Amino acid sequence: GVKMEVSGHAARVALYFGNKTQVALTSLATQLAPADGLAVRPSNLDGTLQPRTQQQQVFEAECVVPFAESPQLLIRYVENGAEARIALRFPLVASKFNQPLQTDSADFFRRWKLHEANESQQVFKLKDASASPERLLSEGLRLAVLRGVDPQPANTVAAGWLATKGMTPQADAASVLLRLEVNAAAGMCRASLRMNGAGARTGLLNLIVAQLS
């Protein structure tokens, strides 16, 4: 299981390891691959997990700069003399550090112009052209949906800022700016995302497209 708390650029991720077998699991250990832009400090983990028990390991993480993807987490243990290895993605993505940015049209497009060189785009077929993406953007990606900002009423505009260590809140450099231009008749959408960090930008855009297509 996973329990997560995020505050600004800092996160606390608790992973729960359970043993549903009738024998003890020994040599239990985790290894987190290095991640550019994400600093993680794990707590100690007891090497033995008794039958029908559960153990928790806490990871204190800080977003230092925008990062592309979550690091790989390797879990190792021994059961009945045989070593087992499980590799999975650490359950912390860059969008968890997004903070919604409520702003007006003038400020949005000022920031939009500043990040002209930091844009990624994708054109894709919508899963449901009549569905609103607002819940995904506000609850899933922690962006503020800005109504009345885009001159085209069919478009959806959202804004946020990425909290990183030492970054001034709502700074221009931390901006996360999104425009979804929808052609309802064709069921198509062009998503344009502007933010610093090419890897983080591509990862976030891929996530948006995957949810909407």
Side-chain angles (χ1 to χ4, degrees):
V2 179
K3 185 176 181 181
M4 186 182 307
E5 299 173 359
V6 181
S7 178
H9 73 280
R12 185 180 188 271
V13 181
L15 299 185
Y16 295 86
F17 303 94
N19 181 4
K20 296 182 179 181
T21 72
Q22 300 296 326
V23 298
L25 304 180
T26 60
S27 301
L28 177 64
T30 60
Q31 182 179 350
L32 195 64
D36 291 337
L38 187 65
V40 185
R41 298 178 302 278
S43 66
N44 293 329
L45 186 64
D46 193 328
T48 300
L49 189 57
Q50 297 295 338
R52 307 297 180 181
T53 63
Q54 181 176 264
Q55 189 178 160
Q56 170 188 275
Q57 186 175 28
V58 175
F59 297 79
E60 302 287 349
E62 289 184 313
C63 183
V64 182
V65 296
F67 59 94
E69 61 181 5
S70 302
Q72 186 181 72
L73 178 68
L74 179 64
I75 304 168
R76 301 192 306 269
Y77 60 91
V78 173
E79 180 182 358
N80 286 327
E83 184 181 49
R85 291 174 174 241
I86 301 172
L88 46 81
R89 284 289 172 190
F90 187 64
L92 183 61
V93 294
S95 60
K96 292 292 185 182
F97 298 100
N98 282 346
Q99 307 292 319
L101 177 65
Q102 293 287 352
T103 188
D104 58 19
S105 180
D107 185 56
F108 177 86
F109 284 106
R110 179 189 65 81
R111 291 171 182 260
W112 187 259
K113 187 172 181 59
L114 282 175
H115 285 276
E116 189 171 6
N118 302 319
E119 181 180 80
S120 295
Q121 277 191 355
Q122 286 194 44
V123 177
F124 59 95
K125 183 79 172 177
L126 287 165
K127 179 168 51 181
D128 183 355
S130 64
S132 171
E134 290 191 9
R135 184 175 180 181
L136 165 68
L137 300 179
S138 61
E139 296 181 15
L141 302 179
R142 300 169 57 84
L143 299 176
V145 177
L146 307 178
R147 296 179 178 85
V149 166
D150 197 289
Q152 297 296 326
N155 295 348
T156 298
V157 172
W161 58 279
L162 184 67
T164 57
K165 188 174 183 178
M167 177 64 71
T168 302
Q170 302 187 14
D172 287 345
S175 299
V176 180
L177 309 169
L178 174 70
R179 294 180 77 190
L180 299 176
E181 301 169 84
V182 175
N183 183 332
M188 299 297 291
C189 178
R190 178 169 66 184
S192 304
L193 181 66
R194 295 186 179 184
M195 63 179 290
N196 280 324
R201 185 170 64 245
T202 299
L204 180 56
L205 186 59
N206 286 342
L207 179 62
I208 294 168
V209 172
Q211 292 293 317
L212 297 178
S213 62

